mmCIF file of all heavy atoms in Angstrom:
data_model
loop_
_atom_site.group_PDB
_atom_site.id
_atom_site.type_symbol
_atom_site.label_atom_id
_atom_site.label_comp_id
_atom_site.label_asym_id
_atom_site.label_seq_id
_atom_site.Cartn_x
_atom_site.Cartn_y
_atom_site.Cartn_z
ATOM 1 N N ILE A 1 0.852 -1.186 0.000
ATOM 2 C CA ILE A 1 0.000 0.000 0.000
ATOM 3 C C ILE A 1 0.891 1.240 0.000
ATOM 4 O O ILE A 1 2.062 1.188 0.386
ATOM 5 C CB ILE A 1 -0.952 0.030 1.218
ATOM 6 C CG1 ILE A 1 -0.161 -0.037 2.528
ATOM 7 C CG2 ILE A 1 -1.978 -1.081 1.137
ATOM 8 C CD1 ILE A 1 -1.019 0.174 3.762
ATOM 9 N N ALA A 2 0.316 2.359 -0.447
ATOM 10 C CA ALA A 2 1.053 3.618 -0.515
ATOM 11 C C ALA A 2 0.071 4.768 -0.306
ATOM 12 O O ALA A 2 -1.148 4.570 -0.303
ATOM 13 C CB ALA A 2 1.753 3.747 -1.871
ATOM 14 N N LEU A 3 0.600 5.949 -0.145
ATOM 15 C CA LEU A 3 -0.252 7.124 -0.022
ATOM 16 C C LEU A 3 -1.095 7.303 -1.276
ATOM 17 O O LEU A 3 -0.617 7.083 -2.397
ATOM 18 C CB LEU A 3 0.596 8.376 0.214
ATOM 19 C CG LEU A 3 1.375 8.444 1.531
ATOM 20 C CD1 LEU A 3 2.210 9.720 1.566
ATOM 21 C CD2 LEU A 3 0.438 8.388 2.730
ATOM 22 N N GLY A 4 -2.333 7.731 -1.103
ATOM 23 C CA GLY A 4 -3.247 7.908 -2.224
ATOM 24 C C GLY A 4 -3.192 9.302 -2.821
ATOM 25 O O GLY A 4 -2.782 10.258 -2.169
ATOM 26 N N ARG A 5 -3.644 9.400 -4.055
ATOM 27 C CA ARG A 5 -3.545 10.673 -4.768
ATOM 28 C C ARG A 5 -4.466 11.748 -4.200
ATOM 29 O O ARG A 5 -4.262 12.929 -4.432
ATOM 30 C CB ARG A 5 -3.839 10.473 -6.248
ATOM 31 C CG ARG A 5 -5.273 10.044 -6.577
ATOM 32 C CD ARG A 5 -5.394 9.675 -8.036
ATOM 33 N NE ARG A 5 -4.633 8.462 -8.310
ATOM 34 C CZ ARG A 5 -4.508 7.937 -9.543
ATOM 35 N NH1 ARG A 5 -5.066 8.527 -10.570
ATOM 36 N NH2 ARG A 5 -3.818 6.836 -9.723
ATOM 37 N N ARG A 6 -5.481 11.352 -3.431
ATOM 38 C CA ARG A 6 -6.362 12.358 -2.865
ATOM 39 C C ARG A 6 -5.618 13.251 -1.865
ATOM 40 O O ARG A 6 -5.963 14.418 -1.683
ATOM 41 C CB ARG A 6 -7.555 11.700 -2.180
ATOM 42 C CG ARG A 6 -8.672 12.692 -1.859
ATOM 43 C CD ARG A 6 -9.925 12.013 -1.393
ATOM 44 N NE ARG A 6 -10.995 12.976 -1.200
ATOM 45 C CZ ARG A 6 -12.139 12.699 -0.607
ATOM 46 N NH1 ARG A 6 -12.368 11.465 -0.171
ATOM 47 N NH2 ARG A 6 -13.062 13.607 -0.451
ATOM 48 N N LEU A 7 -4.588 12.689 -1.238
ATOM 49 C CA LEU A 7 -3.766 13.494 -0.336
ATOM 50 C C LEU A 7 -3.061 14.605 -1.105
ATOM 51 O O LEU A 7 -2.826 15.690 -0.567
ATOM 52 C CB LEU A 7 -2.745 12.605 0.381
ATOM 53 C CG LEU A 7 -3.326 11.607 1.386
ATOM 54 C CD1 LEU A 7 -2.243 10.659 1.875
ATOM 55 C CD2 LEU A 7 -3.962 12.342 2.556
ATOM 56 N N TYR A 8 -2.718 14.332 -2.365
ATOM 57 C CA TYR A 8 -2.111 15.362 -3.218
ATOM 58 C C TYR A 8 -3.098 16.511 -3.429
ATOM 59 O O TYR A 8 -2.716 17.684 -3.389
ATOM 60 C CB TYR A 8 -1.698 14.746 -4.548
ATOM 61 C CG TYR A 8 -1.081 15.722 -5.521
ATOM 62 C CD1 TYR A 8 0.144 16.315 -5.260
ATOM 63 C CD2 TYR A 8 -1.734 16.043 -6.710
ATOM 64 C CE1 TYR A 8 0.710 17.207 -6.156
ATOM 65 C CE2 TYR A 8 -1.177 16.931 -7.608
ATOM 66 C CZ TYR A 8 0.044 17.512 -7.321
ATOM 67 O OH TYR A 8 0.600 18.408 -8.212
ATOM 68 N N GLU A 9 -4.354 16.170 -3.619
ATOM 69 C CA GLU A 9 -5.371 17.206 -3.764
ATOM 70 C C GLU A 9 -5.471 18.044 -2.500
ATOM 71 O O GLU A 9 -5.591 19.280 -2.563
ATOM 72 C CB GLU A 9 -6.731 16.566 -4.065
ATOM 73 C CG GLU A 9 -6.797 15.798 -5.371
ATOM 74 C CD GLU A 9 -8.139 15.113 -5.547
ATOM 75 O OE1 GLU A 9 -9.130 15.589 -4.973
ATOM 76 O OE2 GLU A 9 -8.197 14.089 -6.252
ATOM 77 N N PHE A 10 -5.418 17.383 -1.349
ATOM 78 C CA PHE A 10 -5.474 18.111 -0.089
ATOM 79 C C PHE A 10 -4.276 19.042 0.046
ATOM 80 O O PHE A 10 -4.397 20.183 0.510
ATOM 81 C CB PHE A 10 -5.486 17.128 1.093
ATOM 82 C CG PHE A 10 -6.761 16.338 1.221
ATOM 83 C CD1 PHE A 10 -6.784 15.193 2.000
ATOM 84 C CD2 PHE A 10 -7.923 16.723 0.576
ATOM 85 C CE1 PHE A 10 -7.943 14.454 2.131
ATOM 86 C CE2 PHE A 10 -9.092 15.984 0.701
ATOM 87 C CZ PHE A 10 -9.103 14.851 1.477
ATOM 88 N N GLY A 11 -3.093 18.557 -0.370
ATOM 89 C CA GLY A 11 -1.891 19.385 -0.299
ATOM 90 C C GLY A 11 -1.991 20.609 -1.191
ATOM 91 O O GLY A 11 -1.598 21.714 -0.794
ATOM 92 N N LEU A 12 -2.517 20.423 -2.396
ATOM 93 C CA LEU A 12 -2.702 21.563 -3.290
ATOM 94 C C LEU A 12 -3.674 22.580 -2.699
ATOM 95 O O LEU A 12 -3.449 23.795 -2.767
ATOM 96 C CB LEU A 12 -3.221 21.082 -4.649
ATOM 97 C CG LEU A 12 -2.243 20.281 -5.514
ATOM 98 C CD1 LEU A 12 -2.945 19.800 -6.787
ATOM 99 C CD2 LEU A 12 -1.015 21.107 -5.873
ATOM 100 N N ALA A 13 -4.736 22.081 -2.110
ATOM 101 C CA ALA A 13 -5.718 22.979 -1.504
ATOM 102 C C ALA A 13 -5.111 23.761 -0.351
ATOM 103 O O ALA A 13 -5.348 24.956 -0.184
ATOM 104 C CB ALA A 13 -6.935 22.180 -1.024
ATOM 105 N N TYR A 14 -4.280 23.087 0.446
ATOM 106 C CA TYR A 14 -3.628 23.781 1.558
ATOM 107 C C TYR A 14 -2.722 24.886 1.026
ATOM 108 O O TYR A 14 -2.709 26.001 1.552
ATOM 109 C CB TYR A 14 -2.821 22.787 2.393
ATOM 110 C CG TYR A 14 -1.999 23.458 3.474
ATOM 111 C CD1 TYR A 14 -2.594 23.899 4.655
ATOM 112 C CD2 TYR A 14 -0.624 23.676 3.307
ATOM 113 C CE1 TYR A 14 -1.852 24.524 5.634
ATOM 114 C CE2 TYR A 14 0.117 24.297 4.284
ATOM 115 C CZ TYR A 14 -0.498 24.731 5.449
ATOM 116 O OH TYR A 14 0.239 25.365 6.406
ATOM 117 N N GLY A 15 -1.951 24.570 -0.030
ATOM 118 C CA GLY A 15 -1.053 25.568 -0.602
ATOM 119 C C GLY A 15 -1.779 26.782 -1.138
ATOM 120 O O GLY A 15 -1.304 27.911 -1.034
ATOM 121 N N GLU A 16 -2.964 26.549 -1.709
ATOM 122 C CA GLU A 16 -3.736 27.656 -2.279
ATOM 123 C C GLU A 16 -4.380 28.520 -1.199
ATOM 124 O O GLU A 16 -4.637 29.700 -1.410
ATOM 125 C CB GLU A 16 -4.823 27.092 -3.198
ATOM 126 C CG GLU A 16 -4.269 26.449 -4.472
ATOM 127 C CD GLU A 16 -5.350 25.728 -5.261
ATOM 128 O OE1 GLU A 16 -6.511 25.694 -4.767
ATOM 129 O OE2 GLU A 16 -5.042 25.200 -6.341
ATOM 130 N N ARG A 17 -4.645 27.938 -0.031
ATOM 131 C CA ARG A 17 -5.391 28.658 0.999
ATOM 132 C C ARG A 17 -4.517 29.180 2.132
ATOM 133 O O ARG A 17 -4.996 29.949 2.963
ATOM 134 C CB ARG A 17 -6.471 27.733 1.581
ATOM 135 C CG ARG A 17 -7.498 27.322 0.535
ATOM 136 C CD ARG A 17 -8.388 26.199 1.014
ATOM 137 N NE ARG A 17 -9.195 25.664 -0.078
ATOM 138 C CZ ARG A 17 -9.985 24.600 0.018
ATOM 139 N NH1 ARG A 17 -10.078 23.960 1.177
ATOM 140 N NH2 ARG A 17 -10.667 24.173 -1.021
ATOM 141 N N SER A 18 -3.265 28.763 2.180
ATOM 142 C CA SER A 18 -2.367 29.216 3.246
ATOM 143 C C SER A 18 -1.852 30.615 2.924
ATOM 144 O O SER A 18 -1.157 30.822 1.923
ATOM 145 C CB SER A 18 -1.198 28.251 3.395
ATOM 146 O OG SER A 18 -0.184 28.821 4.191
ATOM 147 N N LEU A 19 -2.165 31.585 3.768
ATOM 148 C CA LEU A 19 -1.694 32.956 3.559
ATOM 149 C C LEU A 19 -0.170 33.005 3.610
ATOM 150 O O LEU A 19 0.468 33.713 2.816
ATOM 151 C CB LEU A 19 -2.292 33.887 4.619
ATOM 152 C CG LEU A 19 -1.903 35.365 4.511
ATOM 153 C CD1 LEU A 19 -2.370 35.955 3.193
ATOM 154 C CD2 LEU A 19 -2.476 36.148 5.687
ATOM 155 N N LEU A 20 0.426 32.237 4.517
ATOM 156 C CA LEU A 20 1.883 32.221 4.626
ATOM 157 C C LEU A 20 2.527 31.776 3.320
ATOM 158 O O LEU A 20 3.447 32.431 2.813
ATOM 159 C CB LEU A 20 2.313 31.288 5.767
ATOM 160 C CG LEU A 20 3.821 31.037 5.906
ATOM 161 C CD1 LEU A 20 4.561 32.319 6.190
ATOM 162 C CD2 LEU A 20 4.090 29.997 6.989
ATOM 163 N N LEU A 21 2.044 30.689 2.737
ATOM 164 C CA LEU A 21 2.626 30.190 1.493
ATOM 165 C C LEU A 21 2.363 31.146 0.335
ATOM 166 O O LEU A 21 3.235 31.366 -0.509
ATOM 167 C CB LEU A 21 2.075 28.799 1.171
ATOM 168 C CG LEU A 21 2.399 27.688 2.174
ATOM 169 C CD1 LEU A 21 1.953 26.340 1.630
ATOM 170 C CD2 LEU A 21 3.873 27.650 2.526
ATOM 171 N N GLN A 22 1.167 31.712 0.293
ATOM 172 C CA GLN A 22 0.836 32.647 -0.790
ATOM 173 C C GLN A 22 1.758 33.863 -0.771
ATOM 174 O O GLN A 22 2.258 34.306 -1.817
ATOM 175 C CB GLN A 22 -0.627 33.094 -0.662
ATOM 176 C CG GLN A 22 -1.645 32.029 -0.996
ATOM 177 C CD GLN A 22 -3.066 32.506 -0.752
ATOM 178 O OE1 GLN A 22 -3.297 33.643 -0.369
ATOM 179 N NE2 GLN A 22 -4.021 31.622 -0.952
ATOM 180 N N GLU A 23 1.967 34.433 0.419
ATOM 181 C CA GLU A 23 2.770 35.650 0.516
ATOM 182 C C GLU A 23 4.263 35.355 0.412
ATOM 183 O O GLU A 23 5.038 36.200 -0.052
ATOM 184 C CB GLU A 23 2.473 36.365 1.840
ATOM 185 C CG GLU A 23 1.036 36.820 1.995
ATOM 186 C CD GLU A 23 0.623 37.875 0.967
ATOM 187 O OE1 GLU A 23 1.516 38.449 0.298
ATOM 188 O OE2 GLU A 23 -0.584 38.110 0.811
ATOM 189 N N ALA A 24 4.678 34.160 0.825
ATOM 190 C CA ALA A 24 6.107 33.838 0.807
ATOM 191 C C ALA A 24 6.599 33.418 -0.569
ATOM 192 O O ALA A 24 7.763 33.660 -0.913
ATOM 193 C CB ALA A 24 6.391 32.730 1.818
ATOM 194 N N ARG A 25 5.736 32.806 -1.373
ATOM 195 C CA ARG A 25 6.183 32.211 -2.635
ATOM 196 C C ARG A 25 6.883 33.217 -3.555
ATOM 197 O O ARG A 25 8.008 32.940 -4.033
ATOM 198 C CB ARG A 25 5.000 31.541 -3.345
ATOM 199 C CG ARG A 25 5.414 30.744 -4.584
ATOM 200 C CD ARG A 25 4.262 29.966 -5.158
ATOM 201 N NE ARG A 25 3.918 28.800 -4.343
ATOM 202 C CZ ARG A 25 2.827 28.702 -3.597
ATOM 203 N NH1 ARG A 25 1.953 29.700 -3.562
ATOM 204 N NH2 ARG A 25 2.594 27.618 -2.893
ATOM 205 N N PRO A 26 6.293 34.390 -3.869
ATOM 206 C CA PRO A 26 6.995 35.307 -4.773
ATOM 207 C C PRO A 26 8.300 35.841 -4.183
ATOM 208 O O PRO A 26 9.280 36.037 -4.915
ATOM 209 C CB PRO A 26 5.974 36.430 -4.998
ATOM 210 C CG PRO A 26 5.002 36.323 -3.882
ATOM 211 C CD PRO A 26 4.951 34.876 -3.522
ATOM 212 N N VAL A 27 8.331 36.065 -2.880
ATOM 213 C CA VAL A 27 9.559 36.547 -2.246
ATOM 214 C C VAL A 27 10.637 35.469 -2.308
ATOM 215 O O VAL A 27 11.817 35.753 -2.552
ATOM 216 C CB VAL A 27 9.280 36.957 -0.783
ATOM 217 C CG1 VAL A 27 10.561 37.408 -0.094
ATOM 218 C CG2 VAL A 27 8.233 38.056 -0.717
ATOM 219 N N LEU A 28 10.237 34.229 -2.103
ATOM 220 C CA LEU A 28 11.171 33.106 -2.174
ATOM 221 C C LEU A 28 11.801 33.009 -3.559
ATOM 222 O O LEU A 28 13.009 32.797 -3.699
ATOM 223 C CB LEU A 28 10.412 31.817 -1.841
ATOM 224 C CG LEU A 28 11.245 30.607 -1.417
ATOM 225 C CD1 LEU A 28 11.682 30.757 0.033
ATOM 226 C CD2 LEU A 28 10.426 29.327 -1.563
ATOM 227 N N ASN A 29 10.989 33.184 -4.594
ATOM 228 C CA ASN A 29 11.499 33.097 -5.956
ATOM 229 C C ASN A 29 12.485 34.229 -6.259
ATOM 230 O O ASN A 29 13.509 34.005 -6.912
ATOM 231 C CB ASN A 29 10.338 33.132 -6.952
ATOM 232 C CG ASN A 29 9.511 31.856 -6.920
ATOM 233 O OD1 ASN A 29 10.009 30.790 -6.552
ATOM 234 N ND2 ASN A 29 8.245 31.953 -7.293
ATOM 235 N N VAL A 30 12.182 35.430 -5.786
ATOM 236 C CA VAL A 30 13.093 36.561 -5.988
ATOM 237 C C VAL A 30 14.401 36.317 -5.244
ATOM 238 O O VAL A 30 15.497 36.589 -5.757
ATOM 239 C CB VAL A 30 12.439 37.884 -5.528
ATOM 240 C CG1 VAL A 30 13.461 39.013 -5.506
ATOM 241 C CG2 VAL A 30 11.276 38.245 -6.444
ATOM 242 N N LEU A 31 14.307 35.797 -4.017
ATOM 243 C CA LEU A 31 15.504 35.499 -3.231
ATOM 244 C C LEU A 31 16.381 34.494 -3.969
ATOM 245 O O LEU A 31 17.612 34.650 -4.030
ATOM 246 C CB LEU A 31 15.089 34.952 -1.862
ATOM 247 C CG LEU A 31 16.214 34.519 -0.931
ATOM 248 C CD1 LEU A 31 17.080 35.706 -0.531
ATOM 249 C CD2 LEU A 31 15.633 33.854 0.326
ATOM 250 N N ARG A 32 15.774 33.456 -4.523
ATOM 251 C CA ARG A 32 16.520 32.464 -5.302
ATOM 252 C C ARG A 32 17.201 33.115 -6.504
ATOM 253 O O ARG A 32 18.374 32.846 -6.791
ATOM 254 C CB ARG A 32 15.559 31.359 -5.739
ATOM 255 C CG ARG A 32 16.172 30.183 -6.524
ATOM 256 C CD ARG A 32 16.135 30.402 -8.039
ATOM 257 N NE ARG A 32 14.888 30.921 -8.508
ATOM 258 C CZ ARG A 32 13.790 30.177 -8.784
ATOM 259 N NH1 ARG A 32 13.809 28.881 -8.607
ATOM 260 N NH2 ARG A 32 12.703 30.769 -9.247
ATOM 261 N N ASP A 33 16.466 33.992 -7.207
ATOM 262 C CA ASP A 33 17.033 34.629 -8.392
ATOM 263 C C ASP A 33 18.167 35.582 -8.040
ATOM 264 O O ASP A 33 19.155 35.689 -8.782
ATOM 265 C CB ASP A 33 15.934 35.386 -9.152
ATOM 266 C CG ASP A 33 14.895 34.452 -9.748
ATOM 267 O OD1 ASP A 33 15.194 33.247 -9.907
ATOM 268 O OD2 ASP A 33 13.777 34.922 -10.047
ATOM 269 N N GLU A 34 18.051 36.276 -6.915
ATOM 270 C CA GLU A 34 19.082 37.241 -6.513
ATOM 271 C C GLU A 34 20.356 36.554 -6.040
ATOM 272 O O GLU A 34 21.458 37.059 -6.265
ATOM 273 C CB GLU A 34 18.552 38.150 -5.404
ATOM 274 C CG GLU A 34 17.522 39.167 -5.873
ATOM 275 C CD GLU A 34 17.072 40.081 -4.750
ATOM 276 O OE1 GLU A 34 17.440 39.812 -3.576
ATOM 277 O OE2 GLU A 34 16.364 41.057 -5.041
ATOM 278 N N THR A 35 20.206 35.418 -5.366
ATOM 279 C CA THR A 35 21.375 34.753 -4.791
ATOM 280 C C THR A 35 21.888 33.595 -5.632
ATOM 281 O O THR A 35 23.052 33.200 -5.516
ATOM 282 C CB THR A 35 21.048 34.221 -3.385
ATOM 283 O OG1 THR A 35 20.033 33.200 -3.487
ATOM 284 C CG2 THR A 35 20.558 35.350 -2.485
ATOM 285 N N GLY A 36 21.009 33.020 -6.458
ATOM 286 C CA GLY A 36 21.361 31.830 -7.210
ATOM 287 C C GLY A 36 21.290 30.557 -6.390
ATOM 288 O O GLY A 36 21.494 29.456 -6.914
ATOM 289 N N GLU A 37 20.988 30.683 -5.089
ATOM 290 C CA GLU A 37 20.984 29.539 -4.192
ATOM 291 C C GLU A 37 19.562 29.020 -3.942
ATOM 292 O O GLU A 37 18.580 29.738 -4.170
ATOM 293 C CB GLU A 37 21.615 29.919 -2.846
ATOM 294 C CG GLU A 37 22.975 30.578 -2.948
ATOM 295 C CD GLU A 37 24.074 29.634 -3.443
ATOM 296 O OE1 GLU A 37 23.795 28.431 -3.642
ATOM 297 O OE2 GLU A 37 25.211 30.105 -3.631
#
């Protein structure tokens, strides 16, 4: 047995609804681009 794909749906929903992830994502991408790390 293994984890089911419905958990993936739950994870996507969490990512879309988490204010922390929403606000951090663009800043994280800029940080990566500025540092290369």
Side-chain angles (χ1 to χ4, degrees):
I1 57 172
L3 294 177
R5 66 189 68 183
R6 194 171 185 191
L7 292 172
Y8 179 67
E9 297 176 26
F10 290 163
L12 291 176
Y14 174 78
E16 291 172 357
R17 297 168 190 174
S18 167
L19 181 61
L20 173 62
L21 297 188
Q22 289 176 2
E23 298 296 346
R25 187 173 286 108
V27 178
L28 199 78
N29 289 334
V30 170
L31 177 65
R32 183 268 316 276
D33 293 340
E34 288 182 351
T35 64
E37 308 292 356

